[in-house]
Amino acid sequence: MSLEEPRDAKPEIGVTDDGLDYDALAALLGDTLLDREDHVTTEGFVVRPDDVQDALRTLKQEAGFDHCSCVTAQEYQDRYESIYHLKKYDDPTHELSVVVPTSRDDPVSQSANDVYRTADWHEREAYDLVGIEYEDHPDMRRILLPETWQGHPLGRDYDQTQPQVVTLREHANPLQEDHMADDTDTMFINVGPHHPATHGVLHLKTVLDGEQVADVEPDIGYLHRCEEQLCQQCTYRHQIMPYPDRWDYTANLINEWSYARAAETLADIDVPEYAQVLRTMSAELSRMAGHFLALGTFALDVYGEFTAIFQYAFRDREIAQDILEDLTGQRMMHNYFRLGGVVWDLPNPREEFFEKTRDFLDDLPAKLDEYHDMITSNEIFQVRCVNTGVLEPDVAKEYGATGPVARGSGIDYDLRRDDPYGYYPELDWDVVTEDGCDNYARVLVRMQEVEESAKIVEQCLDLLEDWPEDERTLQSNVPRTIKPEPDTEIYSAIENAKGELGIYIRSDGTDKPARFKIRSPSFSNLQALPEMSNGEYVADLIATLGSLDIILGEVDR
Amino acid sequence: MTGPLQATTLPETLSGLLGLNTNDPLQWFLAALIASALVGTLMLTNTALVIWAKRKITAAFTDRIAINRVGPFGLLIIVADAVRLLSKELIVPDEVDRPAYDLAPLVLASSALLGFAVIPMGNGIQIADPETGLAYVFAVASLASLGLVMAGYASNNKYSFLGSLRAVAQNLAYEIPLVLTGVSVVIFAGTLRLSEIVAAQSETLFTLGGLAIPSWYAFVNPFAFVLFMAANLAEVGRNPFDIPEAPNEIVAGYMTEYSSVYFVLLYLGEFIHVFLGAAIVTTLFLGGPAGPVLPGIVWFLIKIWAVFLFTQWTRSAVPRVRIDQLIEIGWKGMLVLSIANLVLTAVIVGVLV
């Protein structure tokens, strides 16, 4: 499948037939540009901390970088640095990093919130974990750690053994204030952290006006497990790979690909074709498992807790997981990918595996019909889901929404096709989009994506069956210790079940990354929740949350 | 036209058996007390069975096995669950409105039980048979709304509060169509006395291949039957109208702050209500305890369990509507339909009879 041509009629600055012309982009920024850095897949444009908004606005409006994928913050010996990873929804291979250094004494930088709404949460995270402050930010608070936390854990000076002494005064019950005002009819209510509908530990600070949502603010961080810092303490070769399974814990295996892709590009490692096919097949099985769960829990939110669909969805997810267990030896924490390939071949006897997987695929159309009977064609379901939780495409882009959420809003964006990796370009499948922008459209997208995944798995099975026995190379030659050149920086992303899962790695010449940053799709998608649910009914807030299909393990990392 | 089925009420029969004097108020009271205890025990036992049955039924709908460890078919789970629930700590949150908080579970459970006093269950099991039977049963059944408001308002919890407000809004919206549809049956039968309504359904409507189809009002007026079933679902708060407790939205609604015995009472009360709804449906539309071969009480139990099964079915398969949609269906849909049904019935009965 070839790359799509950018659809805009107006030519964007810097776009040429063979990639981006960074000189033209540099010329566009003019004096704002201080320096240019070479990153592995793109270039880094260094700008002054008080020129951030101007530079980003120019790049967004003139050069078409409408997708702020991620904001990475890090601390060097002599400076702090925020990196804005920009992309285009029309063509995500057009990448650009905007690097904003700030001094160590006064780490203040201009906020990008005015240009990209998604920068709001990303900058809060940067402040929380690294300690950079952002001027003009609407809400500069901690986001993952508790309000009372002392120090910034990913900063260089942070003492990990330092006790977090919090005075009693600060331990005061945060809910003590009853939020009752004399002159309003609204009611403040905490949805979560422990609530049947949050599917994890999420806290929604909700203000209700009768049954309608006047305001909602997600409060995250309850499942923060320092994944980035954990990865920074591990060696590239083997130790990091088990962690990605724990990010999106409903569709685990795909996440491994994000690290594999980043590290392989960074260390210039080839992956044998046979391993690519295995990767593609297992990733798609995992995506199906994730989408079944998403469907089942969404039904749970709309139907009620004793619904048949939840069990049906789990029944089918089980089959996909069984197959993955046969392949990887694990049901959830697969740890199947290795840098340069996968850990082992299909289980013996191969015929049995093929038969089992084909049975699953053969039964799928009938099962999907059943789902359509039970879910999408149900009139009450349609009344509940059509035109609720509306996310307009331009709002979705502002918030950096990706995956089924973006595709349900009609944004034709899928990294498997647009920024190809693995064996996807050789296979015949389609990117599913729906124009409804509502909860219903997102459900439809997920159900159709299951079909597309089935197509991919089927083609992979054909390939694997016919693969000559002596050419089944599982791993390429990879050095025992990987030590990339110092100060090599890479940001690369893959399409996981929820959207764009990106990894930023900076090396410092050792066998461990100096900075490991995870861009999780659920983090950005969740940020759009207030836009989608303000003014709607409580029931729709819950349904919308379900249709976003966030996984808190991935949001909080 | 008192039918042969319900010649005497249960206290009268008991007085006869025990040799009590029905004219002596004290002895009459004793007979009535024994009769009530019998019927109450029957209904409570019936509801206790729900603990087991509901899980088995839902499991069947959702491709699972469910309880099968304790006792035959897992039946002893009823005992185990009862002990477990009763032995739990009763947690009463701070600043609850004490008398109301404590009374609410009682009001809910008893209001439903009271309704069974006038339901003819066959084999002479009917505690009382007042002339205003149907009005009485609707009246005590709607006492439950009071219990819900008390529970929600007294709990000092916003979820409970939301739940009880939803419950009131819902009950208001659905009680009226429910009663109006019930009245259409009264127009057919010409009486509010439940035993006579049952008796009126014993006549043969038509004969189909040698099989006599009785004139159950479900056959006579299927439209009213469907309407009543739907309104009844809302009245007992089952899918698609289970929004007063909607666990995914408001945790458990008015039940959120209740634990241990109080929770048991609320839970029990809710299911007795489902059965009371089923009993009303059975009496008004399904010929009460009438049926071939088997004794009346067995037929009665079969019929109320069939209606219960229907509520479990919808619970497993039908999405929940939103509160605004529910109110809209109630006031703009069901009310209009039930009035149309009432007027049509009145016209038909007036012209034909």
Side-chain angles (χ1 to χ4, degrees), chain A residues 163-178:
Chain A
Q164 288 287 331
V165 180
V166 179
T167 59
L168 272 175
R169 189 177 51 81
E170 284 172 273
H171 263 309
N173 179 6
L175 307 180
Q176 198 158 37
E177 200 187 339
D178 63 6

Side-chain angles (χ1 to χ4, degrees), chain A residues 13 107 117 143 183 201-202 307 382 385 390 393 461 467 474 490 498 503 530:
Chain A
I13 292 170
R117 270 298 283 133
I143 187 166
D183 52 347
V201 268
L202 170 68
T307 164
Q382 291 179 1
C385 294
V390 176
L461 284 177
W467 212 276
L474 290 174
I490 182 168
K498 314 290 181 272
I503 302 288

Side-chain angles (χ1 to χ4, degrees), chain B residues 1 181-191 197 200 217 220-222 224 285 341 344-346 348-349 352-353:
Chain B
M1 50 170 227
T181 317
V183 168
S184 76
V185 168
V186 174
I187 292 178
F188 271 121
T191 172
I197 294 178
Y217 291 125
V220 176
N221 190 354
F285 290 98
N341 170 56
L344 273 179
T345 312
I348 290 171
V349 172
L352 294 182
V353 185

Side-chain angles (χ1 to χ4, degrees), chain A residues 501-548:
Chain A
L501 177 62
I503 302 288
Y504 168 86
I505 298 177
R506 174 172 63 87
S507 65
D508 57 358
T510 65
D511 57 353
K512 295 171 185 171
R515 179 77 173 101
F516 191 96
K517 163 82 183 150
I518 308 158
R519 187 267 185 209
S520 85
S522 297
F523 184 81
S524 299
N525 290 353
L526 176 61
Q527 207 186 340
L529 179 69
E531 293 278 353
M532 300 159 79
S533 37
N534 283 354
E536 303 226 324
Y537 287 90
V538 187
D540 289 338
L541 166 71
I542 302 299
T544 306
L545 184 64
S547 83
L548 280 178

Side-chain angles (χ1 to χ4, degrees), chain A residues 25-41:
Chain A
L25 290 171
L28 180 68
L29 285 187
D31 291 344
T32 344
L33 187 67
L34 292 181
D35 194 10
R36 284 167 67 173
E37 289 178 0
D38 221 17
H39 294 183
V40 175
T41 54

Side-chain angles (χ1 to χ4, degrees), chain B residues 124-148:
Chain B
I125 304 177
Q126 185 181 19
I127 300 172
D129 192 15
E131 250 177 74
T132 53
L134 190 61
Y136 166 82
V137 82
F138 278 133
V140 291
S142 37
L143 272 182
S145 308
L146 186 66
L148 301 187

Side-chain angles (χ1 to χ4, degrees), chain A residues 329-373:
Chain A
Q330 271 285 347
R331 291 176 58 76
M332 287 178 77
M333 305 305 160
H334 304 285
N335 193 15
Y336 180 63
F337 284 24
R338 291 290 179 273
L339 296 188
V342 293
V343 60
W344 47 53
D345 201 351
L346 299 176
N348 275 325
R350 289 165 72 92
E351 291 69 35
E352 220 167 87
F353 179 84
F354 288 131
E355 199 191 325
K356 188 172 179 180
T357 316
R358 280 194 196 285
D359 281 350
F360 169 57
L361 297 178
D362 290 344
D363 293 344
L364 211 55
K367 283 173 177 169
L368 285 171
D369 281 347
E370 198 174 36
Y371 284 118
H372 279 296
D373 272 352

